[in-house]
Amino acid sequence: MKMKAPMIGICRHRLTTDGQGVTTLVAFHGCPLRCKYCLNAQCLRSDGVWRQMEVQEILDEVMVDDLYFKATNGGVTFGGGEPLLRANEIADFCKRRPSTWRIYIETSLNVERQALEAVAPYIDHYYIDVKDMNPDIYQHYTSINNTRVIENLRWLADHVDLGKVTIRLPHIPNYNTQADIGRSRQQLEAMGFCDFDCFEYVCYGGKSA
Ligand code: SF4
């Protein structure tokens, strides 16, 4: 029987949000983290699944924008939730898609190493939501530890051209400070990372935007 992946949505015609040219976001349900200001709470709720889709169904749906991808050097961004929980489906998709499509991924990296290794041959650019390198801050904010994140960052530093990696370091009100972000950045620079997206979570009544 073919596996179906739980999805929270497919979003077309995005421009330079996270990737070059026109991209389609393919967003999977499920995430190992429990961020206090989660923007995609739908992907954590058992009733939050939009559709269950086979890889070929996802490919057929995304294929309608083939001409846009080719004309703009765009492609597909995998997100969620945590897309690396669906690493096998992503690798399968990448093997079947036109080779001209670029592939981007937005991930926390808080997954088993084998998931990262399964998709690495296909990824043109990684957007990594590190949050904060300090284990206490990370645990406090996400409810799990960042041991796997740090191990997977080390693996990327050893195996991937780091020009293909953007590290996201948010200021998270009530959880970290600009000084904490500076310390995270220093630690990551020492590992060889060079592209950082530092930004502010804006909170409205306990939620972020
Ligand atoms: S990593 Fe993203 S989807 Fe997962 S809990 Fe945090 S904000 Fe929500």
Side-chain angles (χ1 to χ4, degrees), residues 131-204:
K131 302 191 191 293
D132 200 291
M133 291 290 277
N134 180 303
D136 294 333
I137 293 171
Y138 190 96
Q139 172 92 40
H140 190 205
Y141 180 63
T142 68
S143 299
I144 67 170
N145 70 60
N146 64 350
T147 306
R148 291 191 301 192
V149 178
I150 293 169
E151 286 172 1
N152 284 331
L153 285 166
R154 289 205 180 100
W155 186 88
L156 276 180
D158 286 342
H159 294 87
V160 167
D161 168 8
L162 295 187
K164 293 172 33 169
V165 179
T166 299
I167 301 281
R168 288 182 170 153
L169 290 175
H171 173 223
I172 312 170
N174 304 316
Y175 290 90
N176 71 356
T177 64
Q178 292 297 337
D180 294 319
I181 295 170
R183 280 188 282 273
S184 292
R185 186 169 174 152
Q186 268 183 342
Q187 206 175 327
L188 288 153
E189 283 173 342
M191 294 165 75
F193 294 94
C194 51
D195 185 34
F196 295 92
D197 179 13
C198 299
F199 60 99
E200 192 84 20
Y201 282 173
V202 180
C203 293
Y204 300 101

Side-chain angles (χ1 to χ4, degrees), residues 31 33 35 38 43 81 131:
C31 182
L33 277 57
C35 299
C38 179
C43 72
K131 302 191 191 293

